[in-house]
Amino acid sequence: MTWELRKIGGSGRLCLLLVLAVLCNGVLFALHAAGDAGGYTVSALHQAMAQKDLPGYEERLWQELEQAAHTGTRSEYDALRRELSAADAAGERVRQAEEYPSFRAGLAAESRLKLRMGLFDGFAARSLERGAAVYESLADVTPRAAFLGGAEVLLFFHLTDALALLFPLAGGLTLLTHERASGLVNLTRPTRLGRSRVYGRKLAAAATLSTAGFVLLYGVNALIAGLLYGFAELDAPVQSLYGFAACPYRMTVGELLALAAGLKYLWLLCCAALIFLLCARAANAAAAVGGAAVCGGIAALMAGSSQLWLRNLSLWQLADGQALCREAVYLNLLGSPQDRVLCGAIFLLVLALAAGIVGAALYAQTPGGSGKRVAFTRSLPRPRHTCLAGHELYKALISRCGLWILLAFFAVIALLYGRFTPERSEFEVYYRNYSEFLSGAPSQEKDAYLASEQARFDELNEQLLELGRRYPDSVTFDRETEPIRNQLHAEDAFHMAQNQYRALRPGQVYLYQTGYQRLLGADALRQDVLELGGAFLVIALLLFSSFAGERESGVDALLTASPRRRSVVRWKCAIAGGYVLLLTLSLWLPGPLTVQGAYGQLNMAAQANSVQCLSILSDGWTVGGVVLALLAGRFLLLAAAAAAVLLLSRRCAMVPALLLSLLLLLLPVGAAYAWM
């Protein structure tokens, strides 16, 4: 194992990458701990919870806020709003502690009531019985209204989980995929048992590296949280921690932190074993990382499943192991309710062992040389010509699996937009009908229509009041007023459309907002960030070996004195540009096409601030201009990403180039998504 660790330590760029990951994690965690993502800082929350008279403190802040709204500056007003948000958050934590006895008793009583009603039997009844007994046994628990900011910032920061995966990924790519591609497998013991032992040493080295990464990454987080907020009150019951009032376990906050750390460590070792399993047979580094990305997507889909086993035993869910302690949920094992935390820990251990055994078996059968090619590529003829462009395209699309990576990304985008569901609520139907009539510039006809509709609704409400006086009995009233109430279902949608119409400024036009909101709103922006992260991953997989692969295979030496060297570089850059163009179109086209198919044609010539989510833009912008600006932004970001990956490929070996590309491209995306 020592020699395997030396292979990783011998790569200066790889070690620098891992150190950079630790430093980036520390900076991002410090920003998270000191930031105000919730509308307030944790320091302000600490100050608010230190107040002896919290209700009086909140009342005083309200008065100061009302005064600042009329006489104060904008900065004073914003500062008071943040203080008030912190006071509200402190009040919620105090109320959780004070109301815990009634809340706990209510949970137990609700379960008992469901059992007495006889609506559940079998596993459901046994689960309710166990939950009621657990909550009844916690009657002597008394939560504290204490400041637990250090524990909160530690438990609710998940970017570290993604950075921790760089350590097992570095081990797998260096010790397995890279050695296989370089032909070093021929030097290992020729028997299956011998190669299995070699695999075991490599896996142990990767586990050691992952352990070091775990200690460094999460240790830095704990150190920063301790320096900023301390770890007082760790002996308080876990029900004192905000969001854990329904926790069914008798433990302290400190024990919860230890449990969460233990589950996180098991999760990281399990991921290391799975990554090694992928690297054991991956044809190249791109295939290994692509396979890991597919596994991550499957885990995310499992986490959104309605099946309890799939959801709670997903690696995506188990990465946030502390969330399993929030409430009493049991898994059905042959009709017997089982604790999901215990099941999760056992699942991680079993999966790690199974992945290690299967990986060793696959590695024992690994052929020597530079590895097997993808089966489908065997049927593709090698180019037998002297066309430089043809050779470069063949290498980019076939030899390095670029075509399959692109097709996989296009399939993911198609799956995402194939699940697009338009709004079909009754309110939405009425709002769309009103919007179709009011669409466009204001006019006297539309003003008259709104006035007549307002008069109609006023008359219906008067009739409703009259019938209420005539029929005091609720059953008779409901029967007699049903036709009127059915007509009044459209009133809320009418008022929304009317307010939107009356708020139009000169130059603006009335637009049906739902489609524009789905295309340009906050939720669409979050999806754009996720899709951009996927495109960055594809860019890294497509381009990291452009120069590094040829340098390690010796082809670069043949080009040193060749007059076509510059032509090779130009064709590689042209292929990268083609990738960027294809990815940009795949990110941009599905959105407008899907929204227009669901909500009708978009008015691209309309003034952009006619759209409510774009109201801050100046009058010179049009909707089409905003859409084109977003298209140009995506193109420039992807072009910059491609240039960065090509530069890394020219300067680094394949594994450091890939890992550095992933770190530099995906880390900002993850941070942006976390703070949105």
Side-chain angles (χ1 to χ4, degrees):
M1 185 182 74
T2 304
W3 286 104
E4 305 298 336
L5 287 174
R6 287 183 180 179
K7 294 176 185 177
I8 299 174
S11 174
R13 286 189 172 92
L14 190 58
C15 293
L16 180 62
L17 164 70
L18 299 179
V19 172
L20 180 62
V22 175
L23 294 177
C24 289
N25 171 73
V27 172
L28 291 174
F29 180 79
L31 292 175
H32 159 75
D36 59 348
Y40 58 89
T41 62
V42 182
S43 298
L45 175 65
H46 190 190
Q47 179 184 352
M49 295 198 72
Q51 300 294 323
K52 295 182 178 180
D53 182 17
L54 185 57
Y57 177 65
E58 287 189 76
E59 181 65 28
R60 188 174 72 254
L61 287 176
W62 271 113
Q63 294 174 358
E64 294 178 3
L65 185 67
E66 292 177 358
Q67 183 178 358
H70 297 90
T71 61
T73 62
R74 181 68 182 180
S75 59
E76 293 176 351
Y77 180 80
D78 291 340
L80 286 170
R81 286 201 62 177
R82 286 193 293 271
E83 286 187 42
L84 186 59
S85 298
D88 289 340
E92 292 175 0
R93 285 155 176 77
V94 171
R95 284 190 294 273
Q96 175 181 293
E98 293 176 347
E99 297 172 0
Y100 176 74
S102 59
F103 175 74
R104 180 205 56 78
L107 291 176
E110 182 182 1
S111 297
R112 293 296 183 190
L113 178 61
K114 291 178 179 178
L115 286 172
R116 286 196 298 270
M117 293 175 65
L119 299 177
F120 302 91
D121 57 3
F123 166 75
R126 287 188 286 272
S127 180
L128 288 171
E129 176 67 33
R130 181 171 177 178
V134 164
Y135 285 122
E136 288 170 352
S137 69
L138 297 175
D140 59 330
V141 172
T142 305
R144 303 177 196 171
F147 173 71
L148 298 168
E152 286 190 23
V153 296
L154 272 178
L155 291 173
F156 300 112
F157 185 74
H158 303 300
L159 277 179
T160 305
D161 303 340
L163 290 171
L165 293 178
L166 283 176
F167 287 81
L169 195 60
L173 294 178
T174 302
L175 301 179
L176 291 179
T177 307
H178 178 66
E179 288 192 0
R180 182 183 176 199
S182 302
L184 297 179
V185 178
N186 289 328
L187 304 179
T188 60
R189 298 180 183 181
T191 65
R192 292 188 177 183
L193 180 60
R195 284 190 175 174
S196 298
R197 289 176 178 175
V198 171
Y199 183 86
R201 287 197 293 269
K202 291 179 183 295
L203 182 57
T208 303
L209 182 65
S210 301
T211 302
F214 177 84
V215 172
L216 289 173
L217 290 169
Y218 295 98
V220 167
N221 289 358
L223 178 62
I224 293 173
L227 291 175
L228 289 177
Y229 308 114
F231 287 109
E233 305 289 347
L234 288 185
D235 59 337
V238 70
Q239 289 79 9
S240 308
L241 192 62
Y242 185 65
F244 284 81
C247 178
Y249 304 110
R250 186 185 294 272
M251 64 171 64
T252 64
V253 175
E255 290 170 345
L256 174 68
L257 290 177
L259 175 63
L263 287 174
K264 191 82 71 176
Y265 182 62
L266 283 178
W267 171 82
L268 184 59
L269 292 182
C270 183
C271 290
L274 288 174
I275 288 172
F276 249 58
L277 172 60
L278 293 171
C279 293
R281 295 290 287 191
N284 50 52
V289 176
V294 170
C295 291
I298 293 173
L301 290 176
M302 289 174 60
S305 172
S306 58
Q307 297 293 327
L308 283 179
W309 278 103
L310 290 178
R311 184 166 73 247
N312 289 285
L313 297 187
S314 161
L315 288 178
W316 190 279
Q317 176 68 36
L318 292 173
D320 189 18
Q322 52 87 16
L324 301 178
C325 302
R326 287 179 176 269
E327 55 185 343
V329 175
Y330 301 102
L331 302 179
N332 185 358
L333 182 61
L334 302 177
S336 175
Q338 300 296 323
D339 185 88
R340 59 177 179 167
V341 176
L342 179 60
C343 289
I346 295 174
F347 173 74
L348 288 174
L349 285 172
V350 171
L351 184 59
L353 290 174
I357 294 171
V358 174
L362 291 177
Y363 187 76
Q365 300 174 1
T366 301
S370 59
K372 295 167 65 177
R373 292 187 175 274
V374 180
F376 185 73
T377 62
R378 291 179 178 175
S379 62
L380 297 175
R382 289 179 174 274
R384 300 178 182 274
H385 51 73
T386 58
C387 177
L388 182 59
H391 281 287
E392 290 298 326
L393 283 172
Y394 182 88
K395 285 191 294 184
L397 295 176
I398 305 303
S399 299
R400 293 168 184 158
C401 304
L403 180 61
W404 321 128
I405 295 172
L406 285 175
L407 291 177
F409 180 73
F410 295 156
V412 170
I413 293 295
L415 178 64
L416 287 175
Y417 283 96
R419 301 171 63 184
F420 182 93
T421 54
E423 294 285 341
R424 300 185 184 278
S425 64
E426 184 183 42
F427 175 88
E428 187 65 28
V429 171
Y430 285 124
Y431 173 59
R432 184 168 187 171
N433 290 336
Y434 283 120
S435 296
E436 288 177 354
F437 181 82
L438 297 175
S439 180
S443 66
Q444 293 183 352
E445 181 185 2
K446 295 173 184 177
D447 294 337
Y449 173 76
L450 290 176
S452 65
E453 279 291 288
Q454 183 64 62
R456 184 172 71 89
F457 284 120
D458 290 342
E459 182 180 354
L460 290 172
N461 283 305
E462 290 177 3
Q463 293 176 12
L464 201 63
L465 291 174
E466 178 62 27
L467 291 174
R469 290 190 291 267
R470 185 182 305 176
Y471 302 108
D473 180 62
S474 60
V475 176
T476 307
F477 174 79
D478 290 342
R479 184 179 65 251
E480 296 295 330
T481 60
E482 183 177 2
I484 297 176
R485 287 185 289 110
N486 289 339
Q487 295 183 63
L488 287 174
H489 287 172
E491 187 174 16
D492 291 339
F494 167 75
H495 285 308
M496 178 176 174
Q498 183 185 50
N499 293 336
Q500 179 186 333
Y501 179 83
R502 290 177 176 173
L504 294 177
R505 301 196 304 268
Q508 293 182 341
V509 295
Y510 185 97
L511 298 174
Y512 174 43
Q513 295 290 322
T514 307
Y516 297 92
Q517 185 68 28
R518 295 291 295 269
L519 180 64
L520 303 169
D523 291 340
L525 183 59
R526 290 172 64 87
Q527 182 171 335
D528 286 345
V529 171
L530 283 178
E531 292 175 2
L532 192 63
F536 281 165
L537 173 62
V538 171
I539 285 287
L541 296 179
L542 289 172
L543 300 179
F544 81 97
S545 60
S546 295
F547 296 101
E550 294 190 351
R551 186 168 56 253
E552 293 189 10
S553 64
V555 175
D556 188 63
L558 301 177
L559 297 173
T560 302
S562 172
R564 305 296 299 275
R565 183 180 182 85
R566 291 185 178 180
S567 298
V568 171
V569 174
R570 282 196 294 267
W571 274 112
K572 290 183 183 295
C573 293
I575 292 171
Y579 285 151
V580 168
L581 183 59
L582 285 174
L583 292 173
T584 302
L585 293 177
S586 68
L587 291 179
W588 177 75
L589 281 177
L593 294 178
T594 304
V595 169
Q596 289 189 106
Y599 297 103
Q601 189 70 27
L602 300 177
N603 187 355
M604 294 297 180
Q607 198 166 288
N609 51 26
S610 301
V611 181
Q612 291 176 352
C613 59
L614 303 177
S615 59
I616 62 173
L617 295 180
S618 64
D619 294 344
W621 282 92
T622 63
V623 174
V626 172
V627 172
L628 289 177
L630 292 175
L631 171 65
R634 291 185 180 98
F635 180 80
L636 292 176
L637 286 173
L638 291 177
V645 174
L646 288 176
L647 180 61
L648 289 172
S649 182
R650 294 207 70 170
R651 300 295 182 185
C652 304
M654 288 181 66
V655 173
L658 176 58
L659 295 179
L660 271 173
S661 299
L662 295 177
L663 180 64
L664 294 179
L665 296 182
L666 298 184
L667 186 60
V669 173
Y673 186 80
W675 267 279
M676 289 180 65

